[in-house]
Amino acid sequence: QVQLVESGGGLVQAGGSLRLSCAASGRTLSNYAMGWFRQAPGKEREFVAAISWNGDSTDYADSVKGRFTISRDNAKNMAYLQMNSLKSQDTAVYYCAAEFRGRGTDARAMNYWGKGTLVTVSS
């Protein structure tokens, strides 16, 4: 089993920044791609960002490209999502997830999920 716990969500004004963290326990995150997903009320869960197991490659949704940065620290079993220039449409529950030896971009393929952290962006 792998347990993932998100933190860092909260209320922020439009244009502001927030950093989300994902702490893993149970197993090392080595060999797992990490992904961030989000779900707003009434909408489907959508892909936000992903990073390969060794941190060499990343993927971003077009809606966040240039504003969000995903990173990881395997020594600490942590993954992060730095969110800058936040917009009201970024408001959602954000989830971290892990995929064994995958790309980390397909929610249906992720092996483990956190319970989410709420990000609210005020205008």
Side-chain angles (χ1 to χ4, degrees):
Q1 284 271 54
V2 172
Q3 293 81 43
L4 303 175
V5 180
E6 304 94 337
S7 62
L11 176 65
V12 63
Q13 291 185 334
S17 298
L18 210 59
R19 189 176 81 151
L20 305 183
S21 298
C22 178
S25 62
R27 293 183 183 271
T28 178
L29 291 181
S30 297
N31 299 319
Y32 287 84
M34 297 298 299
W36 285 94
F37 300 80
R38 67 187 182 187
Q39 187 167 22
K43 295 185 177 180
E44 297 290 321
R45 186 171 299 186
E46 65 175 347
F47 166 74
V48 176
I51 187 167
S52 61
W53 67 271
N54 61 0
D56 285 346
S57 62
T58 57
D59 291 280
Y60 296 95
D62 288 342
S63 60
V64 306
K65 194 172 299 181
R67 300 188 298 120
F68 291 10
T69 302
I70 188 171
S71 61
R72 65 189 300 160
D73 186 342
N74 285 350
K76 297 181 179 179
N77 262 5
M78 298 285 292
Y80 308 94
L81 184 68
Q82 178 67 47
M83 304 184 294
N84 298 326
S85 301
L86 283 162
K87 306 173 181 179
S88 60
Q89 53 263 47
D90 294 319
T91 296
V93 175
Y94 284 72
Y95 301 88
C96 68
E99 180 183 8
F100 182 70
R101 296 190 176 184
R103 187 72 175 268
T105 60
D106 185 353
R108 299 167 297 179
M110 307 306 288
N111 301 115
Y112 303 100
W113 290 87
K115 293 184 178 181
T117 185
L118 177 63
V119 173
T120 302
V121 183
S122 63
S123 59

